[in-house]
Each structure stands twice: as structure tokens, then as C-alpha cells.
Amino acid sequence: MKVLVAVKRVVDYNVKVRVKADNSGVDLANVKMSMNPFCEIAVEEAVRLKEKGVATEIVVVSIGPTTAQEQLRTALALGADRAILVESAEELTSLAVAKLLKAVVDKEQPSLVILGKQAIDSDNNQTGQMLAALTGYGQGTFASKVEVSGDNVAVTREIDGGAQTVSLKLPAIVTTDLRLNEPRYASLPNIMKAKKKPLEVLTPDALGVSTASTNKTVKVEAPAARSAGIKVKSVAELVEKLKNEAKVI
């Protein structure tokens, strides 16, 4: 069984994000970039399926600039077999990414596609669902457990009311949640081996996909700074301030 895993290059979660002076976007100059944490979980789940003998090949794909090869090499070091980079310097919408992934799915014909539920930069939580709609595959989003049995996959989903298990017929789309697994670290020998694994570079034009967007970013602003809190000496004083200053009661 072939598993396709989508990964995204994002600002490292430990980095404090800064907005450009002209408010045109986020300042990425000299900023540490990493694989999206939810994508790391997706790669780990694919590797575990291969270790169980369920998956026979893991293909990782990323859509972004040439530098995204760094994250693909990381995925290869974690256990993926080969990588595909759809090279694009544009700022792509979730729909454009889903269309490109659909073209890769048509090309590779995987039995299972695993994505992170969302990226920590745009935070959209859309691509997996859009890809499922475009391919017509069943989808199991926010997965906390994945079990493949024959031509079916059971996905336990994180929902507001607790957990829900859905059974999907392969091929299917799964998006990963935090409780699914804990990603491993790449060992030095595997990092060295990853340099020799195949990495194919494609373009949107080669896949026959238009990435033109009707969306336009007007302005990007940092969140307003919070004012310092104060301590009160009694419940009566707290109620008085909530009533007369905050005016919430």
C-alpha cells in the first residue's frame, strides 16, 4: 500500500513572529523554518504503518519554494522513501494547494493520503477537506487513531462531544490531530541516508494546475498589546471594578 503524506514549510513554532513594517505580511527574513508540527505527526503515522507492514511505500510531497527541500529531506530522514516538491514561489491559497495535491494524487495513485489537520502559519484547517472533495475520497479529519484493515481504514476523530470513529473505504484522506502520536527524532545515520533518496521537482504548470487566486491580502497587523493586570484585595473590590470599570456585570 502506498501512502502519500503532505508536509508544509512554516516558521518554527518557537519563533516569535514579527509583522513587516509596511504591514504587507509576516517578516520571514533570517527566521528559522521547520516542518509544520501537524505534518510531523502525519509523517510519523505513515512510518508506523510501514513498520507494521501495512504500508509498502511512503511518498512525501510539499508545495512551496526551493528551500522546502529541507523539510522534505527531514521527512526522508524520518522514514519516507521518496519526495516530491511542487515548486512555487507564490503565496498559495488552501484551494490552490488542494488542487496541486489532487494532481499529485492522480499521478501517484496512493491508497491513503495523510495531512496535518492545519498549518500553524495560516491556521486555515481547509486543505484536507478540499482535497477530499476534489478527489471524491472519504475523509477522516482530526484523527487521534488510525487503523487500516484490508480495504478499509477506521479513523477515531476528535470532536466537541468526545470521540467519533468512522470507517472509510480506501483510498481515503486522513488529517492528523495532536493525540495521534508523538513524532520521533531523525538519527544522524538516517539524515545522511536521506541525502541519497530521490526527490522529484515539479511545477504547477507541469501538473496542469492554475494557482491563480481571487483573494488579496489587504493588511497584516500584530495583535494589540494586552494591558497589565491588577490585583484586588477583596471580592467586593473585584465586583466593583467589574461593574464600574470593565462594565461586564
Side-chain angles (χ1 to χ4, degrees):
M1 184 179 84
K2 183 189 292 187
V3 179
L4 181 73
V5 183
V7 301
K8 185 178 183 182
R9 176 183 172 88
V10 299
V11 176
D12 189 89
Y13 69 92
N14 288 311
V15 173
K16 185 176 181 179
V17 176
R18 298 186 305 273
V19 175
K20 291 180 180 178
D22 61 358
N23 295 109
S24 61
V26 174
D27 187 3
L28 299 179
N30 302 314
V31 171
K32 182 183 177 184
M33 306 293 283
S34 301
M35 189 190 304
N36 179 49
F38 289 102
C39 298
E40 291 181 345
I41 295 171
V43 172
E44 175 66 23
E45 191 62 22
V47 172
R48 292 189 183 190
L49 288 173
K50 188 175 181 182
E51 289 173 345
K52 292 176 184 176
V54 175
T56 54
E57 183 183 24
I58 301 171
V59 183
V60 287
V61 57
S62 188
I63 299 166
T66 305
T67 46
Q69 291 190 26
E70 178 187 350
Q71 281 64 50
L72 288 173
R73 290 294 179 193
T74 299
L76 291 171
L78 291 171
D81 299 297
R82 57 188 177 90
I84 299 171
L85 172 63
V86 181
E87 196 169 25
S88 175
E90 299 177 41
E91 188 174 339
L92 301 175
T93 63
S94 300
L95 181 58
V97 172
K99 288 179 177 178
L100 290 168
L101 288 177
K102 198 264 184 183
V104 175
V105 168
D106 290 342
K107 178 177 179 288
E108 293 291 332
Q109 293 294 305
S111 297
L112 184 63
V113 183
I114 309 179
L115 309 88
K117 73 169 184 177
Q118 65 194 74
I120 62 171
D121 51 2
S122 57
D123 230 24
N124 287 329
N125 180 18
Q126 295 175 330
T127 304
Q129 292 89 327
M130 288 178 171
L131 179 59
L134 291 171
T135 57
Y137 293 172
Q139 59 177 308
T141 54
F142 319 130
S144 61
K145 187 176 182 180
V146 175
E147 291 181 309
V148 178
S149 178
D151 293 333
N152 294 278
V153 55
V155 180
T156 301
R157 304 179 59 238
E158 301 264 341
I159 61 173
D160 291 340
Q164 175 192 60
T165 300
V166 295
S167 180
L168 310 173
K169 191 167 182 63
L170 297 174
I173 311 289
V174 172
T175 70
T176 61
D177 213 330
L178 287 172
R179 291 179 182 82
L180 181 58
N181 61 53
E182 185 174 339
R184 69 192 69 190
Y185 291 98
S187 65
L188 182 58
N190 286 338
I191 292 173
M192 300 306 293
K193 290 176 185 177
K195 295 180 180 180
K196 297 182 179 179
K197 290 184 178 180
L199 192 158
E200 182 181 5
V201 179
L202 302 172
T203 63
D205 289 340
L207 293 171
V209 176
S210 171
T211 57
S213 174
T214 55
N215 296 339
K216 181 181 178 181
T217 300
V218 178
K219 193 176 184 182
V220 176
E221 294 180 316
R226 294 183 179 181
S227 57
I230 60 171
K231 291 183 179 181
V232 293
K233 296 179 179 179
S234 66
V235 174
E237 185 183 354
L238 172 62
V239 171
E240 189 273 330
K241 287 186 177 295
L242 289 175
K243 186 176 181 180
N244 300 318
E245 292 185 20
K247 298 187 185 302
V248 294
I249 59 173

